[in-house]
Amino acid sequence: MDEMEEELKCPVCGSFYREPIILPCSHNICLACARNILVQTPEAESPQSSRASGSGVSDYDYLDLDKMSLYSEADSGYGSYGGFVSAPTTPCQKSPNGVRVFPPAVPQSGPQQHLLPHPASLPPIPRNSCITCPQCHRSLILDDRGLRGFPKNRVLEGVVDRYQQSKAAALKCQLCEKSPKEATVMCEQCDVFYCDPCRLRCHPPRGPLAKHRLVPPAQGRISRRASPRKISTCTEHELENLSMYCVQCKMPVCYQCLEEGKHGTHEVKALGAMWKLHKGQLSQALNGLSDRATEAKEFLVQLRHMVQHIQENGVEFEACLVAQCDALIDALNRRKAQLLAQVNKEHEHKLKVVRDQISHCTVKLRQTTGLMEYCLEVIKENDPSGFLQISDALIRRVHMNESQWGKGTLTPRMTSDFDLTLDSGPLLQTIHQLDFVQMKVPAAPILQLEECCTQNNSATLSWKQPPLSTIAVEGYILELDDGNGGPFREVYVGTETICTVDGLHFNSTYKSRVKAFNSSGVGQYSKTLIMQTSEIAWFTFDPASAHPDIVFSNDNLTVSCNSYDDRVVLGTAAFSRGVHYWEMTVDRYDNHPDPAFGICRGDVLKDVMLGKDDKAWAMYVDNNRSWFMHNNSHTNRTDGGVAKGSTIGMLLDFTRGILIFLINDEQQGPVAFESLEGAYYPAISLNRNVQVTLHTGLPIPDFYTPGEADPTSSVC
């Protein structure tokens, strides 16, 4: 019941309603609060004041917002009972919904209290007083009765009283002898409050007491304190009880209102009957609202579960992100170690080269220095003959030693700089571009059953992504089986969410499913949808595939030709399974032409007689005889021709793979063609001397017994 508490509080004072009255806008307000927010309007600016006197509740005049702009906070304010004020001196308060309230003046010596003075002690309401609803902000001018013209909401007052009583101190057991314990239940039949020990001792759930209804103490208190129904009196005739209900004004009225007032000509009904009717309507409305509330509770549970899942997924995703970043850091550290090893290798190589050069140069320098010291000592000798004996050799040694210090010998073999530069630019750019990308495959699409249908031998399917799915979808793949329980095959790949598949088998059951894909992969399949194609094939001649000389009429069921040469026209349906029968009647037959009837492939020649190429199987016929023809081969000449009004039938049986022709319900010759497999279109070739009409949806002729039954056989 705590949720109901806001419904029981006044929008002005924010406290529980005290003597609530009903405004014409159906909102409620405390009587004292209504006095507090009254505003007096100037006599000159109240064009409807002359109408206010003596009018009923339905005569209250609503002001337009433009008129109410006269009463701004700067020039009027809200007075309690006084006249029109230009600047309120009473301290301004605000209710919970923001309405400015100026409480009634009280003596300065005493504290302010929310008292309800007796109506007789209140000062009279000034003429042309205006009140604005604090909830919907609709304004109206009061009539001579003032606030007494508003009906009291005794129902709301009773609910507030019971609610406040239910929130009072805990109830005590009525059977405890000493120190009564807190009551836990109340028996509605016994009208007694029990604690648990006393209930078990004095009110056991057996025998006649087993049928008693035990309720919580708070509910029992409300039911006990529910006041008897009060007799309401009329607001205009205070001595009369309300006994009828005015249907037009939607308000209770008394007999005097019917005899003297404006309700005399209105439709009225018994108050009790309307009371029960409106209670039933309110109960019915509450049922719908209860369903919405139940759905809202379930939705809240779903949202709370989502919060939990979001938290769990957030922790999991964060851990995954940390692991991925740590893996990148580990890879960078490994690469760092490899690069450092490369630098150390280069460092050691440079040191070795320089040290080898130092060692080599040191040895040579020692040899050169020794040779120089020796030559200097030789030069000091004064023996010419002895000097000349060795001077040539020494000169050669000096020159040879000098040549060993030639160009490049005193040049370092290695620089001290490291000719290595770490190219980190692309990696830094990649790190800066590191971001989240779509890594999940799409969710399974949802087939929209209300938009999926079959027509003839075509199937239309529609689907959509789940409402809460945010994963990008690049396209869809639609799959159907072969209509005979075979494997699925792709029939559509693209971005559309609706697809019509033509050329299916008649009287066949197809299974269909769809899945979505993106750059990360292919998602799960949708639920499988089973669709049944038409049991009977209805088709017409096809203008799209016909030769331009063909003329169509009768909704494409009748064809003729503008040319003296033979021209071919196909049907709109293709057959590849089952048993099919259709007929054509000759509407016009002049000068003994040779029309050809039969079946063909979709790429048959359209400017020659049907059967001239290897794409058609036909019977051409004149007024005396007929021939079967395929690939320009004429066979089985049979007597019996056609004339105006003749009927040519074609029976195509895929269970046996044969084609039979009939003329006027009689088989024409033997079986025309055998070993037929694949997809075939009904067809005819004719010239300007012939006009025929197509008939489909026909039963198989009585003389014919189909071969071994095929689970997908159909008759058309």
Side-chain angles (χ1 to χ4, degrees):
M1 295 180 65
D2 292 338
E3 290 84 355
M4 185 181 67
E5 186 168 314
E6 292 301 320
E7 293 285 337
L8 308 181
K9 291 184 177 180
C10 175
V12 176
C13 63
S15 302
F16 288 108
Y17 284 106
R18 294 184 177 90
E19 296 189 20
I21 60 175
I22 307 175
L23 299 178
C25 56
S26 300
H27 293 130
N28 300 283
I29 189 174
C30 295
L31 179 60
C33 295
R35 286 185 169 273
N36 288 346
I37 64 174
L38 284 177
V39 175
Q40 183 181 3
T41 63
E43 187 73 21
E45 298 178 1
S46 179
Q48 301 183 16
S49 61
S50 59
R51 297 173 50 195
S53 177
S55 62
V57 173
S58 61
D59 288 337
Y60 289 118
D61 300 311
Y62 286 102
L63 300 179
D64 296 333
L65 292 179
D66 292 340
K67 296 178 182 178
M68 285 308 299
S69 65
L70 297 171
Y71 315 118
S72 64
E73 293 183 359
D75 60 12
S76 65
Y78 291 96
S80 57
Y81 323 124
F84 187 84
V85 290
S86 60
T89 58
T90 308
C92 173
Q93 301 176 357
K94 279 194 176 182
S95 70
N97 70 345
V99 176
R100 300 173 67 252
V101 179
F102 295 94
V106 298
Q108 297 298 326
S109 59
Q112 291 189 7
Q113 297 181 356
H114 191 78
L115 300 177
L116 297 178
H118 192 275
S121 63
L122 296 175
I125 301 297
R127 290 180 58 83
N128 304 323
S129 293
C130 171
I131 186 171
T132 301
C133 175
Q135 290 184 275
C136 66
H137 306 294
R138 297 178 68 180
S139 302
L140 57 97
I141 298 174
L142 276 62
D143 60 12
D144 292 339
R145 294 173 299 168
L147 296 177
R148 291 183 296 104
F150 298 116
K152 295 182 179 179
N153 195 338
R154 281 181 290 272
V155 174
L156 177 57
E157 192 173 10
V159 173
V160 170
D161 181 54
R162 293 197 301 272
Y163 180 80
Q164 289 179 319
Q165 292 175 4
S166 67
K167 303 293 285 188
L171 293 170
K172 301 296 182 180
C173 177
Q174 293 177 290
L175 298 182
C176 290
E177 297 180 357
K178 296 180 180 180
S179 301
K181 299 180 181 179
E182 182 177 345
T184 56
V185 295
M186 176 211 170
C187 176
E188 289 187 336
Q189 285 72 26
C190 302
D191 196 18
V192 176
F193 290 94
Y194 299 93
C195 63
D196 287 336
C198 292
R199 177 178 59 83
L200 296 175
R201 185 178 70 254
C202 305
H203 200 288
R206 61 179 178 270
L209 298 178
K211 299 182 180 180
H212 287 197
R213 184 169 180 262
L214 303 179
V215 298
Q219 183 178 346
R221 163 176 273 178
I222 293 177
S223 61
R224 288 183 67 179
R225 293 182 178 268
S227 57
R229 189 168 55 165
K230 299 178 181 179
I231 300 177
S232 304
T233 59
C234 180
T235 55
E236 296 192 19
H237 311 96
E238 297 181 354
L239 299 179
E240 295 290 337
N241 296 331
L242 297 173
S243 57
M244 303 297 289
Y245 182 83
C246 179
V247 178
Q248 182 173 344
C249 300
K250 296 183 179 180
M251 60 179 296
V253 295
C254 65
Y255 279 107
Q256 193 170 349
C257 290
L258 299 179
E259 295 177 358
E260 303 175 0
K262 63 179 182 179
H263 305 284
T265 59
H266 295 176
E267 179 186 0
V268 294
K269 291 187 178 181
L271 191 65
M274 294 302 296
W275 175 48
K276 293 181 180 179
L277 176 63
H278 282 214
K279 271 195 171 183
Q281 292 176 350
L282 179 59
S283 299
Q284 185 176 1
L286 283 176
N287 290 335
L289 185 60
S290 177
D291 294 340
R292 301 290 83 77
T294 302
E295 293 176 0
K297 290 180 181 179
E298 295 174 353
F299 181 63
L300 286 174
V301 172
Q302 179 183 354
L303 291 180
R304 293 189 180 99
H305 288 165
M306 285 185 63
V307 170
Q308 182 179 357
H309 292 160
I310 290 174
Q311 292 175 342
E312 294 174 355
N313 293 338
V315 173
E316 180 181 354
F317 188 76
E318 183 178 349
C320 180
L321 177 62
V322 171
Q324 289 178 313
C325 292
D326 289 344
L328 293 176
I329 295 174
D330 292 341
L332 185 60
N333 287 331
R334 289 193 298 271
R335 186 57 181 165
K336 173 185 174 181
Q338 294 173 358
L339 294 175
L340 287 175
Q342 184 177 349
V343 171
N344 290 333
K345 182 178 180 181
E346 182 70 12
H347 173 259
E348 295 297 331
H349 174 67
K350 285 180 176 289
L351 290 178
K352 183 177 182 302
V353 171
V354 173
R355 286 170 179 168
D356 289 345
Q357 190 175 10
I358 291 174
S359 176
H360 178 70
C361 188
T362 301
V363 172
K364 289 185 63 177
L365 182 60
R366 184 182 301 113
Q367 293 175 352
T368 300
T369 303
L371 179 59
M372 289 173 59
E373 292 178 353
Y374 174 67
C375 290
L376 290 175
E377 291 298 326
V378 170
I379 291 174
K380 293 178 181 180
E381 291 294 330
N382 295 323
D383 183 5
S385 59
F387 177 81
L388 291 175
Q389 286 179 344
I390 62 174
S391 60
D392 290 336
L394 288 177
I395 291 172
R396 286 194 300 271
R397 286 184 61 190
V398 170
H399 286 302
M400 185 180 299
N401 193 289
E402 182 182 3
S403 65
Q404 292 179 356
W405 295 99
K407 184 177 181 181
T409 305
L410 299 180
T411 302
R413 298 176 184 174
M414 185 66 65
T415 64
S416 60
D417 297 329
F418 285 80
D419 297 330
L420 297 174
T421 301
L422 183 62
D423 186 13
S424 61
L427 180 59
L428 289 176
Q429 184 177 2
T430 302
I431 293 176
H432 291 154
Q433 294 176 349
L434 187 64
D435 200 352
F436 299 104
V437 295
Q438 183 67 59
M439 294 298 294
K440 293 184 178 180
V441 298
I446 299 175
L447 288 169
Q448 297 182 277
L449 302 182
E450 65 278 3
E451 298 183 13
C452 298
C453 62
T454 59
Q455 184 177 9
N456 217 4
N457 64 333
S458 299
T460 299
L461 295 104
S462 177
W463 59 87
K464 63 180 181 179
Q465 281 299 106
L468 299 180
S469 177
T470 58
I471 302 175
V473 175
E474 296 179 6
Y476 299 93
I477 301 174
L478 176 63
E479 296 181 356
L480 268 71
D481 68 352
D482 61 355
N484 196 24
F488 283 91
R489 65 188 189 279
E490 294 183 1
V491 297
Y492 171 75
V493 178
T495 59
E496 299 295 332
T497 57
I498 186 170
C499 177
T500 298
V501 183
D502 298 321
L504 302 177
H505 299 300
F506 289 93
N507 195 25
S508 299
T509 301
Y510 285 89
K511 295 179 181 179
S512 58
R513 62 188 184 183
V514 64
K515 58 184 177 180
F517 64 88
N518 59 16
S519 57
S520 299
V522 180
Q524 297 293 323
Y525 284 106
S526 66
K527 293 182 179 179
T528 300
L529 177 64
I530 299 177
M531 309 183 75
Q532 176 73 33
T533 55
S534 176
E535 186 174 347
I536 297 177
W538 299 90
F539 61 93
T540 64
F541 290 115
D542 184 15
S545 61
H547 192 278
D549 292 337
I550 297 294
V551 179
F552 294 85
S553 60
N554 190 23
D555 294 330
N556 297 334
L557 292 174
T558 301
V559 292
S560 59
C561 183
N562 288 330
S563 174
Y564 285 106
D565 296 324
D566 291 307
R567 299 292 185 249
V568 175
V569 57
L570 280 60
T572 56
F575 304 118
S576 59
R577 183 187 300 169
V579 181
H580 309 275
Y581 179 72
W582 65 96
E583 293 179 348
M584 297 183 190
T585 58
V586 180
D587 302 328
R588 180 168 52 83
Y589 187 79
D590 303 329
N591 302 322
H592 310 298
D594 299 328
F597 306 85
I599 58 176
C600 67
R601 303 291 190 185
D603 55 350
V604 66
L605 296 177
K606 306 293 187 353
D607 55 357
V608 296
M609 179 183 288
L610 193 68
K612 287 284 186 179
D613 61 357
D614 61 347
K615 306 296 183 181
W617 294 256
M619 176 189 73
Y620 72 94
V621 58
D622 58 17
N623 60 326
N624 292 319
R625 62 192 70 84
S626 66
W627 294 263
F628 302 146
M629 184 168 61
H630 170 64
N631 199 17
N632 205 26
S633 173
H634 306 251
T635 60
N636 296 100
R637 171 179 169 176
T638 305
D639 292 334
V642 296
K644 180 180 179 180
S646 298
T647 299
I648 297 87
M650 285 142 280
L651 195 153
L652 179 60
D653 185 355
F654 283 101
T655 62
R656 294 178 177 177
I658 62 175
L659 176 63
I660 297 175
F661 292 96
L662 294 86
I663 295 180
N664 296 327
D665 298 329
E666 297 290 336
Q667 182 172 341
Q668 183 74 358
V671 172
F673 301 101
E674 297 178 338
S675 302
L676 297 175
E677 294 180 351
Y680 300 90
Y681 290 88
I684 181 177
S685 65
L686 70 167
N687 59 23
R688 67 182 305 161
N689 294 314
V690 181
Q691 176 178 302
V692 299
T693 297
L694 174 66
H695 304 278
T696 61
L698 304 176
I700 298 176
D702 295 336
F703 76 89
Y704 184 76
T705 301
E708 182 178 355
D710 186 285
T712 59
S713 295
S714 65
V715 179
C716 61

